[in-house]
Amino acid sequence: MASSYFSKSKALIMQNLKSRKFLTLGFVNRTSSVTTSQFPPHLIKTISFPPLPARNYESSSRINSSIAFARCFASVSGGRGAHTATSVSDDVDQFCTESPSQEVDFPGGKVKFTPKLTFTSKTIEERVPCYRVLNENGDLIIDSDSVEISKELAVKMYTDMVTLQVMDTIFYEAQRQGRISFYLTAIGEEAINIASAAALNINDFVFPQYREAGVLLWRGFTLQEFANQLFGNKYDYGKGRQMPIHYGSKKLNYITVASTVATQVPHAVGAAYSMKMEKKDSCTVTYFGDGGSSTGDFHAALNFAAVMEAPVIFFCRNNGWAISTPVRDQFRSDGIVVKGNAYGVPSIRVDGNDVLAVYSAVHQARKMAIQEQTPVLIEALTYRAGHHSTSDDSTKYRSLDEIEWWRGDQNPVKRFRKFIENKGWWSEEAESEHRSNIRKQLSQAIQAAERVEKPSIGDLFSDVYDASPKNLREQESFLRKNIEKHARDYPTDVPL
Amino acid sequence: MLGIIKQKVGARGLTAPVFGDYMQKLSPVASAMRDFSSATKKMTVRDALNSALDEEMAADSNVFVMGEEVGEYQGAYKITKGLLDKYGPDRVVDTPITEAGFTGIGVGAAYHGLKPVIEFMTFNFSMQAIDHIINSAAKSNYMSGGKINVPIVFRGPNGAAAGVGAQHSQCYGAWYGAIPGLKVLVPYSSEDARGLLKAAIRDPDPVVFLENEILYGDSFPVSQEVLDPNFCLPIGKAKIERQGKDVTITAYSKMVGFALKAAEILEKDGINAEVINLRSIRPLDRDTINDSVRKTNRLVTVEEGFRQHGVGAEICASVVEDSFNYLDAPVERIAGADVPTPYTANLERLAFPQIEDIVRATKRACYRSG
């Protein structure tokens, strides 16, 4: 769309160009949107000034302002502030009677001019500060704002963090023993998982990446249900069609994990738009890592969400590593929080290993998203204390010392344990009882899941479409006839 | 470009005297329309699509349109004309330029229960979004164990227009036609456009709806039945546009018109051709095609897309598998030249099948090339 706009007459321009004050500014005012420091007088005569587009600006008022999209080409200054055609001319009239203006209405809004030729800096002078409530010793930092939590909530959060930690350790071992084909842990990110889930409502749709099993755990997914998915048995809700850790639960509003990185980010925006249309008292939440923030999908999603005013929480788990790529090789910006800012999305950086900070930030973000109908970005700084997955050995590209340091006092589970023990809400006995309890449940769940039979071959052909198409029905009947004919060659543990 | 369209319309012979003859050769239902030809309404494909969208949006408030220039600009090809004024900016959404972005957002909206109709300015641009179409839309129902269905429609012009160069001229029928979980529709006439688009919007599965820019301006007769707001065509059924007994010609989209014209020319040489309008690439109506070949014993496939791994290749394989003993001649495949589409008009013409090519190939299939 044409983005330049013009004053009423050439005479005004000539007058302005000749004024000394204008020349010191070094920019061409109002003749075009291209700014040049010098404008040879002989060229000015050859510039033609097409009239303003004959557009009925009144049509903008039909658009419901509470959920309208910014139509930057519909109004001269663009953005949400309506700026009509007539007022541009008014400014021009003022222009010729007063001193040269210090700012102009470009499409997109007013900008102030500067005569200084300076570029923004490449290096970050001061990083965006990180919101933190609990220190390493589990003490509340003085003057910290945080949401008050009850003993029940604190203990539930802590026990779920421990469950997640134990579950991850044992399932990881199961993979190492060859009982499941693949696993990936959230070690080091327990606070992010549990505290963010705790601050949400069950009606908030979750669009996960893959390191957020704790959110599902919080919502009520059982250890047995996790095990069933990992073993791909007939009780798996995914009917054995996906690799391990690709959990999903329609009942718990947790969209099935997909392997494609960051595709869930625009999905979350679309679903948030749908919620907005239905005026629901809920939002969507999407998780992704530092690596995921490099994808095209991330940028499109943030940009769109801001324009659409969609109620979505973007939760970035900046854990320092995308498999073997450290953040320094991933981006040169000050993390992800500034990117949210760049797209016009309210953003915050939090200590991802601090349960209370994560809880408070998500609690507040949710309120903002729903009440103000805006996207919100949370960048949680943390550390991926485990390997990327069972297919990775991270000691190959990072030092053991680094890993051990993060498993020490910074460890979210240890820090929160100190907090609740200081409050008298937890004890050593409770700890060992809970841990041994979970270990027992897990071992039973694994054994049970291993014994359950696999999905039947009917599940190979169903759900490709809503209604089964003819070619698949033919293929299935052909397969079954074949099995009957060659029963000896068919595996005994795959039910028909 | 307008000149070419006019020429093509003239070539198809939709002027009154030829029209009657043309209608005579169609199936009984269509020839009944001949009796009412003076009262039968004519509708352009553009209006057919616009009216279908309008009616579906009126009937179901979950249906919404999203794409570049669909709102204020009234649609890059005016297919969505008037919809913004009628339904407002929540349901006719103008997007920033990121196909990957708005396709992903559309899929997410569909996950939550809306019914998006995503417009690509041309399917050539859908390549930027193909990961979402295939991995996020097509495969979701299966991968989620039937828990996440995606009632989304991706539509837009497909294939060559006129003089738009290589990056705007590719046909994607074969690419999307290969994917389990997708349905791929290819309307030709206004009746096809209305019936298939309505069916696509009402369908719970993701549908890729491949239109054609040149056909947008073409007019076709539409009966009262077609104009009914609940008119839907079944997905996966081909239409026999012209009955014949000597040779079967399959085609889709713009090529249906070319095949019909070629059939008229062949008639003068005593070759009675049956023309099948595929209407649906996935699911492909194998039964109709095979029944036809068993009747005529000869097959010619026509498409604008590239030859290798094309739609014609699939049809040929299907017929060889199911009706081998009925073939009296090798299958003739006519497709676009194996080159990125050139721009200049003379070269472009040579890069795509023309009516003469269809006539020649059909004669070869009938051993009449002499």
Side-chain angles (χ1 to χ4, degrees):
Chain A
M1 295 294 154
S3 56
S4 53
Y5 56 96
F6 307 90
S7 59
K8 263 182 175 170
S9 68
K10 259 194 210 173
L12 277 167
I13 304 298
M14 299 298 280
Q15 190 180 359
N16 300 332
L17 288 169
K18 281 171 191 163
S19 82
R20 267 191 304 126
K21 278 195 179 156
F22 167 76
L23 285 170
T24 59
L25 283 174
F27 290 93
V28 176
N29 241 350
R30 294 180 185 273
T31 49
S32 76
S33 55
V34 174
T35 55
T36 55
S37 51
Q38 264 139 45
F39 218 95
H42 68 275
L43 276 181
I44 295 162
K45 294 193 186 73
T46 63
I47 297 166
S48 58
F49 298 86
L52 276 158
R55 210 195 139 71
N56 178 16
Y57 290 88
E58 260 50 66
S59 64
S60 314
S61 61
R62 272 203 301 264
I63 298 166
N64 183 344
S65 57
S66 65
I67 42 177
F69 282 57
R71 303 207 174 273
C72 53
F73 55 88
S75 66
V76 169
S77 65
R80 289 166 196 116
H83 189 100
T84 63
T86 49
S87 59
V88 172
S89 319
D90 290 341
D91 288 349
V92 171
D93 287 335
Q94 285 169 2
F95 186 101
C96 60
T97 51
E98 290 167 8
S99 55
S101 64
Q102 300 304 307
E103 62 181 25
V104 118
D105 267 308
F106 282 110
K110 285 190 184 193
V111 270
K112 286 205 167 68
F113 287 124
T114 168
K116 297 286 170 222
L117 177 63
T118 39
F119 292 85
T120 60
S121 172
K122 180 166 94 168
T123 54
I124 304 150
E125 284 102 27
E126 204 182 302
R127 299 195 62 182
V128 169
C130 181
Y131 168 62
R132 178 188 250 211
V133 172
L134 281 180
N135 64 21
E136 286 88 351
N137 296 323
D139 299 319
L140 280 170
I141 296 171
I142 302 180
D143 287 342
S144 55
D145 345 302
S146 71
V147 180
E148 280 278 332
I149 59 169
S150 66
K151 175 183 171 186
E152 287 77 23
L153 181 61
V155 170
K156 176 150 198 323
M157 286 204 281
Y158 181 72
T159 50
D160 271 11
M161 282 166 71
V162 172
T163 304
L164 179 61
Q165 203 183 55
V166 175
M167 172 181 117
D168 273 350
T169 314
I170 293 187
F171 282 140
Y172 190 94
E173 277 309 303
Q175 193 277 344
R176 282 284 175 259
Q177 292 164 16
R179 294 159 93 179
I180 54 176
S181 64
F182 175 84
Y183 193 72
L184 91 47
T185 68
I187 305 286
E189 299 181 48
E190 296 88 351
I192 285 175
N193 271 249
I194 302 299
S196 67
L200 297 168
N201 189 296
I202 189 68
N203 295 319
D204 300 325
F205 266 66
V206 176
F207 286 82
Q209 178 70 74
Y210 48 49
R211 226 178 276 283
E212 302 90 14
V215 176
L216 205 45
L217 181 71
W218 175 269
R219 288 191 167 189
F221 211 62
T222 65
L223 296 175
Q224 189 65 65
E225 286 170 315
F226 280 116
N228 289 337
Q229 197 283 331
L230 294 172
F231 282 90
N233 64 33
K234 75 174 186 195
Y235 296 131
D236 168 27
Y237 300 129
K239 299 181 187 171
R241 290 171 185 154
Q242 293 243 43
M243 282 172 67
I245 68 99
H246 287 64
Y247 316 109
S249 169
K250 192 163 170 142
K251 187 177 69 174
L252 302 176
N253 290 330
Y254 187 96
I255 297 284
T256 309
V257 173
S259 309
T260 43
V261 174
T263 51
Q264 72 279 7
V265 189
H267 296 164
V269 178
Y273 183 69
S274 172
M275 283 181 175
K276 187 187 172 82
M277 299 279 288
E278 294 168 5
K279 299 190 174 23
K280 284 214 178 335
D281 179 26
S282 53
C283 65
T284 62
V285 181
T286 179
Y287 297 84
F288 51 92
D290 38 289
S293 77
S294 296
T295 63
D297 274 341
F298 165 84
H299 296 277
L302 253 71
N303 189 37
F304 254 93
V307 170
M308 284 172 131
E309 298 175 357
V312 51
I313 299 176
F314 295 110
F315 197 107
C316 178
R317 297 178 292 97
N318 183 347
N319 62 20
W321 294 91
I323 310 190
S324 68
T325 308
V327 287
R328 180 156 175 77
D329 291 345
Q330 192 70 246
F331 43 69
R332 289 298 167 92
S333 56
D334 175 15
I336 287 98
V337 64
V338 293
K339 289 174 181 162
N341 192 43
Y343 287 113
V345 173
S347 310
I348 189 171
R349 166 173 279 159
V350 311
D351 178 351
N353 296 335
D354 178 344
V355 168
L356 295 184
V358 172
Y359 182 84
S360 304
V362 174
H363 181 95
Q364 182 66 13
R366 183 179 184 273
K367 235 166 54 175
M368 281 168 70
I370 297 172
Q371 285 170 11
E372 297 170 38
Q373 292 289 297
T374 174
V376 182
L377 172 72
I378 298 175
E379 178 189 12
L381 297 181
T382 179
Y383 189 80
R384 192 195 77 208
H387 304 306
H388 165 71
S389 73
T390 49
S391 310
D392 174 49
D393 173 12
S394 63
T395 57
K396 289 216 165 8
Y397 48 80
R398 53 185 191 174
S399 73
L400 266 165
D401 288 341
E402 182 186 302
I403 303 172
E404 285 314 310
W405 190 81
W406 283 98
R407 285 179 184 248
D409 289 336
Q410 294 294 329
N411 176 321
V413 180
K414 287 197 176 111
R415 276 166 73 183
F416 198 54
R417 181 178 170 180
K418 286 182 187 157
F419 173 74
I420 56 173
E421 279 184 344
N422 290 344
K423 286 254 185 198
W425 296 343
W426 195 251
S427 65
E428 183 58 51
E429 297 80 48
E431 178 84 16
S432 47
E433 192 192 323
H434 180 67
R435 282 187 185 261
S436 77
N437 203 341
I438 297 299
R439 269 196 288 268
K440 205 162 63 202
Q441 279 182 45
L442 273 165
S443 126
Q444 283 166 355
I446 290 174
Q447 283 172 41
E450 221 166 11
R451 280 196 302 266
V452 171
E453 58 184 13
K454 301 297 181 208
S456 74
I457 56 164
D459 283 332
L460 175 60
F461 299 100
S462 61
D463 305 319
V464 180
Y465 295 99
D466 188 64
S468 190
K470 194 167 117 185
N471 66 321
L472 287 182
R473 291 198 303 270
E474 283 170 6
Q475 287 175 32
E476 185 177 349
S477 89
F478 179 74
L479 175 61
R480 287 186 187 279
K481 278 201 208 88
N482 232 27
I483 291 169
E484 240 180 82
K485 211 162 132 194
H486 306 281
R488 276 175 316 141
D489 299 337
Y490 190 73
T492 49
D493 65 344
V494 184
L496 295 167
Chain B
M1 180 162 144
L2 202 55
I4 296 169
I5 295 170
K6 280 192 179 141
Q7 190 188 27
K8 285 197 170 113
V9 169
R12 190 178 292 106
L14 283 176
T15 51
V18 190
F19 184 77
D21 295 335
Y22 164 86
M23 296 302 274
Q24 215 157 15
K25 283 155 191 146
L26 295 179
S27 61
V29 171
S31 60
M33 275 157 51
R34 178 175 35 120
D35 299 329
F36 306 101
S37 57
S38 52
T40 307
K41 199 171 164 218
K42 279 186 121 199
M43 194 183 228
T44 60
V45 172
R46 175 178 287 114
D47 288 340
L49 293 167
N50 183 272
S51 61
L53 277 170
D54 194 351
E55 286 160 19
E56 291 306 299
M57 287 178 80
D60 184 348
S61 59
N62 283 328
V63 177
F64 76 103
V65 174
M66 182 153 70
E68 291 156 4
E69 312 301 326
V70 293
E72 296 279 357
Y73 195 71
Q74 309 297 318
Y77 296 100
K78 306 292 178 263
I79 306 298
T80 51
K81 184 170 174 181
L83 296 180
L84 174 64
D85 284 349
K86 198 164 170 185
Y87 297 103
D90 319 333
R91 295 185 66 197
V92 182
V93 179
D94 273 332
T95 65
I97 305 176
T98 161
E99 275 73 11
F102 65 73
T103 306
I105 284 170
V107 172
Y111 283 174
H112 195 260
L114 289 186
K115 291 187 182 164
V117 177
I118 305 294
E119 174 172 311
F120 291 115
M121 212 179 271
T122 140
F123 263 91
N124 291 268
F125 304 162
S126 75
M127 290 198 286
Q128 303 236 313
I130 202 167
D131 178 68
H132 278 295
I133 297 174
I134 294 175
N135 282 331
S136 301
K139 298 179 184 174
S140 278
N141 200 40
Y142 189 78
M143 279 172 33
S144 68
K147 307 283 185 306
I148 300 175
N149 80 309
V150 194
I152 195 170
V153 175
F154 303 104
R155 52 157 292 272
N158 174 59
V164 289
Q167 293 167 338
H168 292 82
S169 303
Q170 198 170 324
C171 173
Y172 290 86
W175 283 35
Y176 291 118
I179 310 300
L182 277 185
K183 289 181 175 160
V184 181
L185 302 178
V186 278
Y188 160 63
S189 63
S190 300
E191 176 182 332
D192 290 355
R194 267 184 66 83
L196 291 176
L197 185 55
K198 280 168 170 293
I201 292 172
R202 295 177 189 200
D203 197 292
D205 297 313
V207 180
V208 169
F209 195 82
L210 305 174
E211 302 158 3
N212 185 286
E213 193 197 319
I214 305 287
L215 287 176
Y216 284 152
D218 285 353
S219 269
F220 294 86
V222 284
S223 66
Q224 273 308 113
E225 192 202 343
V226 173
L227 293 170
D228 187 274
N230 281 316
F231 173 70
C232 276
L233 285 172
I235 290 180
K237 284 294 299 161
K239 180 183 179 198
I240 298 180
E241 294 281 352
R242 182 188 205 278
Q243 299 262 21
K245 55 176 178 52
D246 294 332
V247 59
T248 300
I249 305 177
T250 63
Y252 63 91
S253 191
K254 193 171 87 186
M255 291 290 119
V256 175
F258 281 31
L260 287 168
K261 187 62 195 149
E264 279 170 39
I265 295 172
L266 288 160
E267 195 66 45
K268 299 198 184 75
D269 283 326
I271 297 175
N272 183 228
E274 177 148 294
V275 175
I276 300 181
N277 170 6
L278 290 178
R279 281 184 166 174
S280 169
I281 289 178
R282 177 175 265 269
L284 192 60
D285 191 352
R286 289 188 168 74
D287 289 344
T288 301
I289 297 167
N290 277 285
D291 286 346
S292 174
V293 172
R294 286 170 188 218
K295 185 174 72 170
T296 64
N297 311 123
R298 292 164 206 277
L299 176 63
V300 176
T301 69
V302 186
E303 68 197 290
E304 273 194 317
F306 299 126
R307 189 177 148 86
Q308 188 167 338
H309 310 303
V311 175
E314 175 61 31
I315 293 174
C316 179
S318 166
V319 164
V320 164
E321 283 166 4
D322 293 345
S323 312
F324 182 69
N325 290 322
Y326 292 83
L327 283 170
D328 285 349
V331 176
E332 289 282 346
R333 262 191 307 169
I334 307 172
D338 229 6
V339 296
T341 310
Y343 161 74
T344 53
N346 61 328
L347 293 181
E348 188 184 23
R349 198 180 184 285
L350 290 170
F352 290 111
Q354 303 300 331
I355 297 168
E356 311 84 74
D357 298 316
I358 304 175
V359 170
R360 251 198 319 273
T362 312
K363 283 188 175 166
R364 269 201 312 269
C366 298
Y367 296 141
R368 300 268 225 92
S369 45

